[in-house]
């Protein structure tokens, strides 16, 4: 059987390994497995969101409100934007797909960082677009601007903070860059980890209302999968001027998030105290990872997300490290698929993090 030839250009996305896989392959009880691979909230979802899921479980046979009125109203108040400037997706990555289908084609070029969220490239290649990647390891807006002038891309991706590395552009430098971009180029500001970044450093905070009013060719992406702890419910959103939202709605399938996802997100948004607890834990526990790396002489990337990237030099090998930890019931993300000798670790609870340190010490001692 033959398939679309564009598939030959696409490398399958490698998600963080699930707990169920480790149970099957290594016979470790699920209660003894720690997953620090997919940047999930270690504190879980808001109790209010969990209660909403439980109360509405009997409605699982019903389609959700396809207008998503209540969630859009909540986001509208939270960000002080018009509800018509909001689109909801099954995770923010679905809105990335909407943007690609609405704006790009085989004649288009898409500009992105050298190492960034893999789905930017995958969705772009699905429509046959040409990928333009910066050569700098981290977001370098001077280089981005040169590439923009050379290639005139239809879409530019800026991941703020950047996944999987953790670095984060500042708001002022982003706005300065945007001021030099033509209004016909769609600039996607991926703010999946903004809740963490703006607490750590207010100069990194992007206000979606200010962004889209200043630069009508931009769209801000947010998600309930990270700080809000609803990764399993798959809810994301985009905020842009109405012209962009109306274009994206034409490629949105009906009922694209579930009835239970919708009520969970509505209640999670209301519980900002849970977000405060989440970001507090992240800041405190992130410091432990930095201190550990400094003590062991391990290079790391200062992170503004809820994860940290450790970089290794031979003879240390990220694949050997990841495999060793996996067999011990510790799931982290090997970044070898990104061409890096590095691992990315989600910041967990204190007990989860202490277990990582103990197992990593064990690995180092075995060398």
């Amino acid at each position: 059987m033959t398939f679309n030839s564009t598939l030959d250009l696409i490398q399958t996305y490698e998600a963080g390994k699930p707990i169920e896989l480790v149970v099957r392959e290594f016979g470790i009880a699920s209660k003894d497995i720690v997953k620090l691979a997919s940047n999930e909230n270690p504190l879980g979802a808001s109790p209010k969101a969990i209660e909403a899921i439980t109360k509405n479980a009997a409605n699982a046979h019903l389609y959700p409100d396809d207008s998503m009125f209540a969630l859009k109203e909540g986001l509208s108040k939270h960000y002080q934007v018009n509800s018509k400037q909001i689109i909801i997706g099954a995770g923010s990555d679905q809105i990335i797909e909407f943007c690609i289908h609405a704006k790009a084609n085989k004649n288009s070029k898409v500009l992105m960082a050298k190492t960034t969220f893999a789905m930017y490239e995958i969705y772009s290649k699905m429509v046959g677009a040409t990928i333009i990647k910066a050569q700098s390891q981290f977001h370098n807006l001077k280089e981005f601007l040169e590439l923009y002038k050379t290639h005139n891309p239809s879409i530019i991706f800026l991941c703020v903070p950047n996944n999987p590395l953790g670095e984060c552009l500042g708001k002022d430098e982003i706005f300065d860059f945007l001021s030099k971009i033509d209004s016909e180029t769609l600039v996607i500001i991926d703010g999946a980890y903004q809740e963490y970044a703006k607490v750590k450093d207010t100069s990194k905070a992007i206000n979606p209302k200010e962004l889209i009013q200043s630069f009508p060719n931009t769209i801000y992406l947010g998600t309930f999968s990270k700080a809000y702890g609803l990764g399993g419910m798959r809810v994301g959103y985009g905020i842009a001027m109405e012209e962009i939202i109306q274009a994206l709605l034409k490629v949105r399938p009906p009922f694209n998030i579930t009835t239970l996802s919708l009520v969970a997100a509505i209640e999670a948004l209301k519980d900002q105290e849970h977000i405060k607890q989440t970001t507090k834990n992240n800041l405190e526990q992130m410091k432990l990872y930095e201190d550990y790396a400094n003590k062991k002489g391990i290079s790391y990337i200062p992170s503004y997300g809820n994860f940290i990237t450790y970089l290794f030099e031979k003879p240390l090998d990220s694949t050997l490290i990841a495999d060793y930890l996996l067999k011990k019931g510790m799931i982290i993300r090997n970044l070898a698929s990104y061409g890096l000798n590095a691992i990315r670790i989600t910041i967990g609870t204190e007990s989860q993090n202490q277990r990582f340190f103990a197992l990593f010490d064990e690995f180092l001692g075995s060398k």
Side-chain angles (χ1 to χ4, degrees):
M1 182 181 292
T2 59
F3 296 95
N4 191 321
S5 60
T6 58
L7 295 181
D8 296 334
L9 305 173
I10 297 173
Q11 182 177 347
T12 302
Y13 179 77
E14 180 185 333
K17 288 181 172 59
I19 290 173
E20 292 81 1
L21 180 145
V22 182
V23 171
R24 291 194 305 270
E25 290 195 1
F26 302 108
I28 302 172
S30 59
K31 66 180 179 63
D32 296 325
I33 297 170
V34 175
K35 185 184 179 189
L36 299 178
S38 299
N39 303 340
E40 296 146 333
N41 186 336
L43 305 186
S46 159
K48 294 180 180 179
I50 295 171
E51 183 181 2
I53 294 168
T54 303
K55 283 185 175 180
N56 287 273
N59 294 328
H61 66 295
L62 299 174
Y63 287 115
D65 169 14
D66 197 47
S67 73
M68 304 177 198
F69 176 83
L71 180 54
K72 287 182 180 178
E73 283 296 299
L75 288 166
S76 173
K77 292 177 182 177
H78 185 70
Y79 288 113
Q80 295 297 297
V81 297
N82 192 301
S83 61
K84 293 181 179 180
Q85 297 174 322
I86 300 170
I87 187 170
I88 306 299
S92 56
D93 54 322
Q94 187 180 45
I95 300 168
I96 294 167
E97 184 179 16
F98 295 163
C99 290
I100 295 292
H101 283 290
K103 184 66 177 173
N105 55 48
K106 64 181 181 180
N107 299 314
S108 303
K109 296 177 181 178
V110 180
L111 175 59
M112 63 191 69
K114 178 182 179 180
T115 304
T116 193
F117 184 42
M119 293 311 297
Y120 304 157
E121 182 173 353
I122 290 174
Y123 285 135
S124 298
K125 285 183 174 178
M126 283 171 60
V127 300
T130 299
I131 308 301
I132 308 298
K133 283 191 176 184
Q135 293 305 301
S136 302
Q137 186 65 71
F138 304 118
H139 280 79
N140 181 325
L141 293 184
K142 182 179 179 181
E143 183 186 4
F144 263 62
L145 188 59
E146 291 172 354
L147 291 170
Y148 163 75
K149 291 176 179 177
T150 301
H151 297 282
N152 190 29
S154 298
I155 295 175
I156 299 173
F157 281 101
L158 296 178
C159 193
V160 190
N162 186 29
N163 175 33
L165 300 182
E167 88 279 8
C168 189
L169 295 166
K171 176 247 184 178
D172 289 345
E173 58 181 328
I174 291 173
F175 276 40
D176 180 66
F177 171 76
L178 292 173
S179 70
K180 300 176 176 68
I181 304 301
D182 185 86
S183 61
E184 274 301 305
T185 301
L186 176 64
V187 183
I188 300 172
I189 307 294
D190 189 342
Y193 298 91
Q194 267 287 306
E195 285 84 4
Y196 298 101
K198 65 185 180 183
V199 170
K200 186 170 186 177
D201 185 346
T202 56
S203 74
K204 310 293 186 183
I206 303 296
N207 181 317
K209 179 179 180 179
E210 181 185 8
L211 174 72
I212 67 173
Q213 287 183 344
S214 301
F215 307 101
N217 60 319
T218 62
I219 181 169
Y220 175 92
L221 305 184
T223 184
F224 286 91
S225 295
K226 305 305 177 186
Y228 286 93
L230 292 177
M233 303 306 287
R234 310 302 298 126
V235 187
Y237 54 91
I239 300 174
M241 298 304 282
E242 193 172 345
E243 177 189 18
I244 294 175
I245 297 299
Q246 288 303 314
L248 301 186
L249 287 172
K250 291 182 178 182
V251 296
R252 182 188 73 88
F255 310 116
N256 59 314
I257 66 170
T258 72
T259 297
L260 298 182
S261 298
L262 188 57
V263 296
I266 290 167
E267 293 305 315
L269 185 62
K270 296 175 183 177
D271 193 355
Q272 290 300 308
E273 182 58 35
H274 186 67
I275 299 300
K276 290 179 182 178
Q277 293 173 4
T278 291
T279 54
K280 181 176 183 290
N281 175 78
N282 191 68
L283 279 176
E284 292 174 350
Q285 296 300 311
M286 178 79 76
K287 184 67 166 55
L288 298 183
Y289 278 91
E290 294 170 347
D291 291 345
Y292 180 85
N294 290 330
K295 180 181 178 182
K296 298 293 181 179
I298 298 170
S299 297
Y300 66 91
I301 300 170
S303 175
Y304 293 86
N306 67 335
F307 56 89
I308 190 167
T309 299
Y310 279 4
L311 305 168
F312 304 110
E313 294 183 1
K314 297 296 182 180
L316 289 179
D317 182 274
S318 66
T319 299
L320 294 178
I321 294 168
D323 289 347
Y324 182 91
L325 295 175
L326 189 64
K327 292 173 184 177
K328 300 287 185 174
M330 171 65 63
I331 312 173
I332 51 86
R333 185 67 184 269
N334 180 16
L335 297 185
S337 61
Y338 285 87
L340 298 172
N341 185 18
I343 61 173
R344 187 193 69 191
I345 313 119
T346 303
I347 306 302
T349 62
E350 182 177 3
S351 61
Q352 290 173 330
N353 299 329
Q354 291 300 331
R355 183 169 176 197
F356 169 83
F357 299 140
L359 287 174
F360 201 87
D361 280 342
E362 188 179 291
F363 170 82
L364 294 174
S366 69
K367 298 293 102 183

